[in-house]
Amino acid sequence: MPGPYKWRHRFQGYVCRWTLPREAILDLLSRTSKHMSAKEIYATLYSMYPGIGLTTVYRTLDLLVRSGMINRLSFGDGQNRYEFRSGKKEEHHQHLICTKCGRIIDCSDLFTEQLELLKKAEDVLTKKYNFTVLDHNIEFYGLCEKCKKS
Amino acid sequence: MPGPYKWRHRFQGYVCRWTLPREAILDLLSRTSKHMSAKEIYATLYSMYPGIGLTTVYRTLDLLVRSGMINRLSFGDGQNRYEFRSGKKEEHHQHLICTKCGRIIDCSDLFTEQLELLKKAEDVLTKKYNFTVLDHNIEFYGLCEKCKKS
DNA sequence: AATGTTAATGATAATCATTTTCAATAATAA
DNA sequence: TTATTATTGAAAATGATTATCATTAACATT
């Protein structure tokens, strides 16, 4: 369990009480580069904090999503996954998903291309569909290094 | 129920027996512009073909996904959705998803931008991650016309 | 520091999408 | 027409997520 209330200040106005489970879940997600499911988060925290309940994990994840601290991802494997959301607006990244082993790789190398797509998209979508873009998501499916070999 | 076996020929080699449920499900998806869930497909077919079972719908959808006839989509609302896949490789489109009412709009207006992103992506991802891109997916989240007003 | 209010928790049960099981059916080859 | 076996559908099983509710604990007030 990390320093007592590292993340508390980011919740002013969102939540009444800052608690150990909330701190622990947000802290875990801020440290890992994995895209963890609720069960995985629960299992990880359980080892250092056996009192925690799976229900609380689900509830807290929901809270964190709603308050914009984390992203909920669904890759279609039957469970949602979560990732920490950096403060910076520009730090959008893509996910590479191996269709063979399910590995997920983060990729932030297409910054310029993405921005251009986005700029154009906002323009087109507003004019044609009167749709206001608030967020976007780009995924690439294919084969990772390991799976190509085998 | 449509003309007897309209889609049969596209299955040569994929499947042994071509049946009424398979025909009906594929035909329905080929006609609709909606992004239907298994339950919705089941309900629609049930009215004209009361013998059909939900299990068969799930199984057939799986078969159709595996053989490349349809796409499975997961927008994170707890159920998968399906769309017919046109033969043409280039006919990739994006989805606009209204975060308020859940409406899904198809959009094919970003053809050039998408191609350029993709071209660059394949290059970068191969070099940096040794990842082979087979497919991609782009989604825009925001507010649709109706939801902006209310 | 002690107290009271009530938000937050966690165990359990419920829900909902999807999968598995298995006996019955029907598509196709012989 | 018959035999083979892929396919079907009902029912049960699974697995992720949500709802219920009594208990606990955060924190504002004393």
Side-chain angles (χ1 to χ4, degrees):
Chain A
M1 208 65 36
Y5 288 114
K6 191 172 166 188
W7 296 106
R8 185 183 201 163
H9 65 288
R10 298 188 64 167
F11 267 86
Q12 306 296 355
Y14 272 115
V15 103
C16 296
R17 297 177 186 174
W18 194 237
T19 63
L20 194 59
R22 290 176 180 181
E23 175 76 17
I25 290 168
L26 186 52
D27 194 71
L28 173 59
L29 284 175
S30 79
R31 292 171 187 283
T32 187
S33 66
K34 288 185 238 165
H35 304 79
M36 301 181 86
S37 67
K39 276 265 177 70
E40 284 166 356
I41 292 166
Y42 171 71
T44 305
L45 293 181
Y46 192 85
S47 61
M48 48 178 118
Y49 176 26
I52 200 166
L54 183 54
T55 308
T56 299
V57 173
Y58 275 109
R59 261 189 305 232
T60 303
L61 288 170
D62 208 57
L63 174 73
L64 294 171
V65 168
R66 274 185 285 115
S67 59
M69 306 287 300
I70 65 176
N71 293 324
R72 178 178 284 146
L73 311 169
S74 49
F75 296 119
D77 64 338
Q79 57 191 0
N80 291 324
R81 298 181 169 278
Y82 300 85
E83 72 180 2
F84 188 73
R85 187 165 183 161
S86 95
K88 307 162 206 161
K89 256 195 186 170
E90 302 76 23
E91 221 177 79
H92 249 300
H93 61 271
Q94 300 82 40
H95 292 120
L96 319 183
I97 300 141
C98 179
T99 50
K100 203 165 173 185
C101 71
R103 190 152 75 103
I104 299 156
I105 306 166
D106 283 329
C107 156
S108 312
D109 305 284
L110 296 162
F111 185 61
T112 317
E113 291 71 21
Q114 222 182 144
L115 264 194
E116 265 161 38
L117 169 67
L118 201 58
K119 198 168 58 190
K120 188 65 173 289
E122 292 185 346
D123 199 50
V124 169
L125 303 186
T126 303
K127 275 194 187 128
K128 182 160 176 183
Y129 302 95
N130 196 11
F131 186 94
T132 305
V133 178
L134 298 174
D135 202 355
H136 74 281
N137 178 33
I138 301 179
E139 300 162 346
F140 295 98
Y141 295 91
L143 291 174
C144 75
E145 194 165 14
K146 283 181 196 167
C147 289
K148 263 193 279 190
K149 289 176 194 162
S150 56
Chain B
M1 210 67 33
Y5 289 114
K6 191 173 167 188
W7 297 106
R8 188 182 201 165
H9 66 286
R10 297 188 65 168
F11 267 86
Q12 307 294 355
Y14 271 116
V15 103
C16 296
R17 299 178 185 173
W18 193 238
T19 62
L20 194 59
R22 289 176 181 181
E23 174 76 16
I25 290 167
L26 186 51
D27 194 70
L28 173 59
L29 285 174
S30 79
R31 293 172 187 282
T32 187
S33 66
K34 288 185 236 164
H35 304 78
M36 300 180 85
S37 68
K39 277 267 178 67
E40 285 166 356
I41 292 166
Y42 171 72
T44 304
L45 293 182
Y46 192 85
S47 60
M48 48 179 121
Y49 176 25
I52 200 166
L54 183 55
T55 308
T56 298
V57 173
Y58 275 109
R59 263 189 304 232
T60 303
L61 288 169
D62 209 57
L63 173 72
L64 294 172
V65 168
R66 275 186 285 116
S67 60
M69 307 285 301
I70 65 176
N71 293 323
R72 195 193 313 263
L73 311 169
S74 48
F75 296 119
D77 64 338
Q79 58 191 358
N80 292 325
R81 298 180 170 277
Y82 300 86
E83 72 180 1
F84 187 73
R85 187 165 181 161
S86 96
K88 308 162 205 161
K89 255 194 185 170
E90 304 76 25
E91 221 176 79
H92 248 301
H93 60 271
Q94 301 82 40
H95 292 121
L96 321 183
I97 300 139
C98 179
T99 51
K100 204 166 173 185
C101 71
R103 190 152 77 105
I104 299 156
I105 305 167
D106 283 330
C107 156
S108 312
D109 305 284
L110 297 163
F111 185 60
T112 317
E113 291 71 20
Q114 222 182 143
L115 264 195
E116 264 162 39
L117 170 68
L118 201 59
K119 197 168 59 189
K120 188 65 173 289
E122 291 185 348
D123 200 51
V124 170
L125 303 187
T126 303
K127 275 192 186 131
K128 183 160 177 183
Y129 303 96
N130 195 13
F131 187 94
T132 304
V133 178
L134 297 175
D135 201 356
H136 75 281
N137 177 33
I138 301 179
E139 299 161 347
F140 296 97
Y141 295 91
L143 291 174
C144 74
E145 194 165 12
K146 283 180 195 167
C147 289
K148 263 193 279 189
K149 289 177 194 162
S150 56

